[in-house]
Amino acid sequence: AAFTTVLQATQKAPDVWTQKTFSLAAYAGQTVYVAIHATDTDQWQLYADTFVVDSAPTTAPGCATLTAPTNTATGVNPDGVLSWNTVASATGYKIKVGTTSGGTDVMNNVDVGNVTSYNIPGTLNSGTTYYVTVTPYNGVGNAAGCSQISFTTISAPANDNCSGAIALTVNPDLNCGSVASGNTLGATQSLAATPCSGTPDDDVWYSFVATATSHVITLSNVVST
């Protein structure tokens, strides 16, 4: 009955870890008790942890350091995952990504929240240099003078298109004495959607000269990256 002050209106719990911040400035010098009240009709599990009571920041945070990809890295996976270190007093991070130095054609200071990793939407182009700046912020303001890094995605495979198909050797039996290896990392879409179902993407091409009326094609050690 003593819990009469509501810090947050009723809200459906998110499906992913989300940081919540509330000001207790009105209770300075007092002993207070804080409760979390589950109000959803589907009250199965509710997780909450890492409670911190701290003073409000008086200065803007320092800059973050990108840990992956590293500056000037080459052959980077085009999935677009960025990671950086935690910055003390930061309550969130803004990301700028472009295909030119200082550019914002991919992301223009997008607020990604208080996280230390982020997946750039979509798939990055293969064999392309990208420029990234991560700027921490808090209630005082943005970090100043944060450095830009650049990285280059892996180039498309040589057999990315049908015209560059890799010729396979037809083995005389299923012992497969001759095999070909390859991957789709950096590959781009070139296969028409019809008659295939779904959305084809990242295709690579192989060819062979038939030595009989029917053949068996075997795929082994297939790994998704």
Side-chain angles (χ1 to χ4, degrees), residues 103-125:
T104 57
D105 52 303
V106 179
M107 295 181 66
N108 187 5
N109 282 318
V110 175
D111 186 344
V112 299
N114 194 10
V115 296
T116 56
S117 65
Y118 184 75
N119 191 342
I120 300 172
T123 301
L124 302 182
N125 295 326

Side-chain angles (χ1 to χ4, degrees), residues 77-94:
N77 192 315
D79 59 7
V81 176
L82 306 172
S83 299
W84 57 89
N85 67 303
T86 301
V87 176
S89 81
T91 57
Y93 301 84
K94 297 176 182 178

Side-chain angles (χ1 to χ4, degrees), residues 125-218:
N125 295 326
S126 59
T128 303
T129 299
Y130 289 88
Y131 300 83
V132 180
T133 304
V134 175
T135 303
Y137 69 86
N138 59 21
V140 177
N142 297 332
C146 295
S147 299
Q148 168 186 272
I149 71 121
S150 66
F151 66 87
T152 303
T153 54
I154 190 170
S155 297
N159 58 336
D160 187 34
N161 296 303
C162 181
S163 58
I166 293 176
L168 300 175
T169 298
V170 177
N171 291 284
D173 51 46
L174 292 179
N175 290 327
C176 295
S178 176
V179 298
S181 62
N183 64 75
T184 60
L185 194 60
T188 59
Q189 179 178 333
S190 55
L191 181 63
T194 302
C196 301
S197 61
T199 303
D201 199 0
D202 304 346
D203 51 276
V204 289
W205 293 79
Y206 296 86
S207 66
F208 69 92
V209 177
T211 59
T213 56
S214 63
H215 292 79
V216 175
I217 298 175
T218 302

